Amino acid sequence: MDDRRLNGFPEEIEEGILIESRNPAMTALLETVQRAAAGDSTILLTGESGTGKDVLARQIHRWSPRRHRPFVVINCGTLAEPLLEHELFGHVRGGFTGAADDKPGCLEVGGGGTMLFDEIADLPTALQAKFLCFVQDRSFGSNRAQSVDVRVVAASNRNLEAEVAAGRFRKDLYYRLNVITFTLPPLRERTQDILYFADWMLKEISNIVGRSELRIAPDAADALINYRWPGNIRELHNALLRAAALARSETITFADLPDSIRYPVSSMSVPGAHGIRLKDFEREHIIRVLADSPTLGKAAATLGINVTTLWRKRRHYGIT
């Protein structure tokens, strides 16, 4: 099975996080997802960055009858339009300058399996019509000459209905993708899972940093539970990895946690903060992490998001 790694989590941690939960809403969602995985309908996964949409897509594949066929990932936000088109549909020898050989696209390679189209909202407008044709009848190429038996799973951390209203995403493509939709809740709404996830992660992180099994001190546990986790599960993993590397003993204390978790932007210190919107807190948190990070990549890792998402958020919030 072509099961590409998506976010750097050890496989056992990913599976534990996704198929086990102490949160009733998440448990109910996973039960429904497992039923949907047994069919062949297109699935749309939504939710904030870092909630595990890409990992859940792989679990859908593993729960499905296609589990022994390829699982292929296309990240629509990381490639320029011409490269993305070639990645999707492939090309023939001489099709463009530098095309020395025929190269099958991912749609062909993934035949019989499952394809995850991550960050689908970033699919260039010029490619959306061509992709729509593929989603409609699973065929592509001149005169739709090539047919592919593949299950489509799409994921987005943006509101596709809002993207449609803004004219950035085709309405007909949205309706084709929105057959079965699951929205993953953010970690701040799953507080029952925070320490459970942390225990899972620390088992593997202990091996990575070469220490005995690590524990979390009560003061650190309180900080983890009370933090809002804008980067969700990825941010939790990165925070624990950092804390494990810096901890003076086998117990992670409050002092070992990143500053962004120990001293988060607090509504209690802002006059009239009851009227402040969540996005204002996110902007301040991003500014704080950027100031504490030597590179954009380090800042993205601390926030638990990829560099493309961080770049988009900086542009959205006007952060230079």
Side-chain angles (χ1 to χ4, degrees):
M1 180 173 66
D2 182 7
D3 190 353
R4 302 183 186 180
R5 306 299 299 160
L6 299 179
N7 56 21
F9 291 172
E11 185 171 333
E12 64 186 39
I13 291 178
E14 292 178 336
E15 290 184 347
I17 284 174
L18 284 177
I19 64 175
E20 305 246 354
S21 177
R22 302 297 187 265
N23 178 267
M26 187 63 184
T27 300
L29 183 145
L30 289 172
E31 291 173 354
T32 307
V33 170
Q34 188 166 10
R35 291 197 299 273
D40 217 27
S41 298
T42 297
I43 292 178
L44 176 62
L45 302 176
T46 65
E48 297 177 7
S49 293
T51 49
K53 298 182 295 297
D54 43 9
V55 186
L56 184 56
R58 184 169 61 252
Q59 190 62 52
I60 289 171
H61 178 69
R62 290 176 175 172
W63 278 332
S64 79
R66 298 174 180 267
R67 65 180 66 90
H68 299 299
R69 301 296 297 165
F71 176 77
V72 181
V73 182
I74 292 290
N75 191 315
C76 302
T78 59
L79 295 175
E81 182 179 320
L83 293 176
L84 180 58
E85 183 169 7
H86 295 315
E87 184 78 5
L88 282 173
F89 302 105
H91 58 256
V92 296
R93 179 179 179 182
F96 60 94
T97 302
D101 300 293
D102 292 349
K103 179 183 181 299
C106 287
L107 298 182
E108 185 176 348
V109 172
T114 302
M115 291 203 66
L116 168 64
F117 296 89
D118 204 6
E119 306 288 357
I120 191 67
D122 290 329
L123 188 68
T125 305
L127 287 182
Q128 289 181 22
K130 186 177 289 190
F131 184 62
L132 172 64
C133 293
F134 167 73
V135 174
Q136 286 178 153
D137 54 23
R138 299 299 193 270
S139 63
F140 64 97
S142 57
N143 299 318
R144 302 185 187 179
Q146 290 183 266
S147 296
V148 179
D149 173 27
V150 66
R151 184 180 201 163
V152 172
V153 179
S156 177
N157 59 12
R158 285 147 66 184
N159 186 322
L160 289 184
E161 288 185 346
E163 295 297 305
V164 169
R168 293 187 291 265
F169 200 80
R170 292 180 63 111
K171 182 186 294 186
D172 47 4
L173 178 55
Y174 169 66
Y175 287 131
R176 284 288 179 179
L177 295 175
N178 189 28
V179 178
I180 301 176
T181 299
F182 296 108
T183 300
L184 276 69
L187 190 56
R188 63 181 172 274
E189 295 178 7
R190 303 169 58 184
T191 53
Q192 306 98 322
D193 285 337
I194 292 174
L195 295 183
Y196 172 66
F197 289 172
D199 288 340
W200 266 96
M201 293 173 180
L202 284 178
K203 290 176 183 177
E204 182 66 27
I205 289 173
S206 296
N207 294 328
I208 293 173
V209 298
R211 310 187 70 148
S212 302
E213 188 167 327
L214 291 161
R215 301 176 297 276
I216 302 174
D219 57 351
D222 289 341
L224 295 179
I225 291 172
N226 292 324
Y227 183 58
R228 300 220 19 113
W229 298 108
N232 292 292
I233 299 170
R234 285 200 192 103
E235 185 181 9
L236 174 62
H237 181 265
N238 292 334
L240 291 173
L241 186 60
R242 175 191 183 278
L246 299 178
R248 295 176 176 83
S249 69
E250 274 60 52
T251 299
I252 292 175
T253 67
F254 178 81
D256 299 320
L257 299 176
D259 288 347
S260 57
I261 297 174
R262 290 188 295 156
Y263 308 112
V265 177
S266 173
S267 62
M268 298 301 292
S269 63
V270 182
H274 59 278
I276 294 178
R277 296 167 296 180
L278 178 59
K279 68 179 185 179
D280 296 322
F281 286 109
E282 183 178 52
R283 183 179 189 277
E284 292 301 317
H285 180 65
I286 291 173
I287 292 173
R288 181 191 294 261
V289 172
L290 284 169
D292 291 340
S293 304
T295 66
L296 199 63
K298 291 287 187 181
T302 299
L303 290 167
I305 58 179
N306 58 47
V307 174
T308 302
T309 300
L310 177 55
W311 178 84
R312 187 166 56 239
K313 286 181 179 292
R314 288 178 65 193
R315 184 177 62 179
H316 175 73
Y317 290 129
I319 301 171
T320 57

